[in-house]
């Protein structure tokens, strides 16, 4: 059952307030205190990148959950982020475009996952464990390839590459581009919200209701993969944002795609901004990788949701 109008409005106001508080805290707090030049030149780009990347990851997770009809779908868990990391490492070694390599790598991983689980998708909800296991193996394969690539990375670049692969916002760029892409993603999901809601009922039901199922699934796959690729190219492989945010919203009673789209973007932006704030202040002046901080939150939630799955 969905939320009533009053409860939905209250939740919306709370999410927007949380995002505003996270942005202000990210700009104001830090080891060097409140310094205008520091805020403008260093913190503002980093906070903007965290918000844009978080929004993209949450939207990518939401789209993959619709595409696979599985609440455990997430670009990190199912290997899309791993594919983006491999593509980015390859282009870095060849001197190509980081954004292009990450996008193509994420898209290739998404296509591979869809192809490997085609029969499972047709089998319905009982195939959920197979989907999760296939995605986990794909993620493991991408991780192994990335490790082999790191083994031949020059020593002077090795530490930075490792730190980037586990999620690092210290040198993140492209916050404005990520934010604009997230806005376009929200508009696209909201525009096709009825069709997406019907797709959640199953491909056959959606087709009977007149929806172009193949075209819709292809659009979701491409959008989710490119969003994950942009996020990885900007800040490295940060996990579980796409799992935590949509799941939390659904547990709170948000059901319609129109509401889930913009709320996931806002929630993802707020969550990653707060995680980055923790990563750079908890042991200041040292910084923790934000990907590790997110995993400390996401991994227990993933286990909890997986254990609740059969019910």
């Amino acid at each position: 059952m969905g939320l009533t109008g009053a409860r939905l409005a209250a939740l919306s106001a709370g999410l927007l307030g949380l995002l505003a508080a996270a942005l202000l805290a990210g700009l104001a707090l830090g080891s060097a205190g409140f310094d205008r030049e520091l805020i403008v030149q260093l913190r503002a780009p980093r906070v903007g990148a965290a918000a844009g990347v978080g929004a993209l990851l949450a939207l990518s997770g939401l789209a993959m959950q619709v595409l696979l009809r599985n609440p455990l779908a997430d670009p990190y868990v199912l290997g899309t982020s791993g594919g983006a990391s491999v593509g980015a490492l390859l282009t870095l070694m060849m001197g190509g475009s980081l954004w292009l390599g990450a996008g193509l790598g994420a898209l290739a991983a998404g296509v591979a996952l869809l192809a490997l689980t085609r029969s499972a998708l047709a089998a319905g909800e009982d195939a959920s464990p197979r989907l999760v296991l296939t995605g986990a193996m794909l993620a493991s394969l991408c991780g192994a390839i990335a490790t082999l690539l790191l083994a031949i990375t020059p020593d002077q670049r090795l530490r930075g590459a490792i730190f980037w692969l586990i999620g690092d916002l210290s040198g993140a760029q492209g916050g404005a581009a990520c934010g604009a892409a997230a806005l376009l993603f929200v508009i696209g999901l909201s525009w096709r919200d009825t069709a997406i809601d019907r797709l959640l009922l199953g491909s056959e039901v959606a087709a009977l209701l007149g929806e172009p199922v193949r075209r819709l699934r292809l659009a979701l796959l491409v959008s989710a993969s490119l969003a994950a690729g942009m996020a990885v190219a900007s800040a490295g492989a940060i996990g579980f944002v796409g799992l935590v945010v949509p799941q939390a919203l659904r547990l709170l009673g948000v059901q319609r795609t129109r509401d889930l789209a913009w709320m996931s973007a806002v929630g993802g932006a707020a969550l990653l901004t707060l995680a980055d704030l923790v990563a750079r202040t908890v042991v200041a002046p040292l910084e923790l990788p934000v990907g590790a901080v997110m995993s400390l939150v996401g991994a227990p939630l993933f286990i909890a949701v997986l254990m609740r799955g059969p019910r």
Side-chain angles (χ1 to χ4, degrees), residues 2-247:
L3 291 175
T4 62
R7 293 186 63 188
L8 184 62
L11 179 59
S12 301
L15 273 176
L16 292 173
L18 178 63
L19 176 59
L23 293 175
L24 289 174
L27 291 173
L29 299 180
S31 58
F34 189 87
D35 182 87
R36 183 177 180 278
E37 185 175 353
L38 179 67
I39 291 174
V40 173
Q41 295 185 1
L42 294 179
R43 289 186 191 162
R46 178 166 180 164
V47 169
V53 169
L56 281 179
L57 289 175
L59 289 168
S60 179
L62 174 63
M64 294 186 72
Q65 289 168 16
V66 173
L67 178 67
L68 301 179
R69 296 180 62 204
N70 191 307
L72 298 176
D74 169 80
Y76 184 82
V77 174
L78 299 183
T80 311
S81 291
S85 298
V86 171
L89 283 174
L90 285 173
T91 54
L92 279 175
M93 294 177 65
M94 296 185 296
S97 169
L98 181 65
W99 294 83
L100 178 61
L104 291 177
L107 188 59
V111 170
L113 176 64
L114 198 61
L116 291 171
T117 59
R118 186 174 181 180
S119 60
L121 288 171
E125 292 298 328
D126 291 340
S128 290
R130 180 177 172 183
L131 293 175
V132 175
L133 289 173
T134 303
M137 293 303 101
L138 186 60
S140 178
L141 176 62
C142 290
I145 296 174
T147 301
L148 293 176
L149 291 175
L150 287 175
I152 58 177
T153 300
D155 291 343
Q156 63 270 23
R157 300 174 59 185
L158 183 60
R159 186 179 185 278
I162 294 175
F163 204 73
W164 176 75
L165 282 176
I166 58 177
D168 176 22
L169 283 162
S170 61
Q173 300 292 330
C178 290
L183 178 60
L184 291 176
F185 205 162
V186 170
I187 292 173
L189 291 174
S190 301
W191 177 49
R192 300 305 306 273
D193 64 319
T194 301
I196 293 172
D197 287 337
R198 289 174 175 175
L199 186 61
L200 282 169
L201 300 175
S203 299
E204 294 183 359
V205 174
L208 289 174
L209 292 173
E211 301 298 341
V213 174
R214 289 187 178 181
R215 193 183 346 170
L216 183 59
R217 291 176 66 184
L218 179 61
L220 287 171
L221 172 64
V222 172
S223 300
S225 298
L226 292 180
M230 285 190 69
V232 171
S234 180
I238 298 174
F240 296 107
V241 177
L243 171 68
V244 171
V245 176
Q247 276 299 309

Side-chain angles (χ1 to χ4, degrees), residues 278-298:
V278 171
R280 61 185 172 86
T281 58
V282 68
V283 290
L286 299 177
E287 291 188 10
L288 300 175
V290 68
V293 174
M294 276 307 310
S295 294
L296 289 175
V297 176

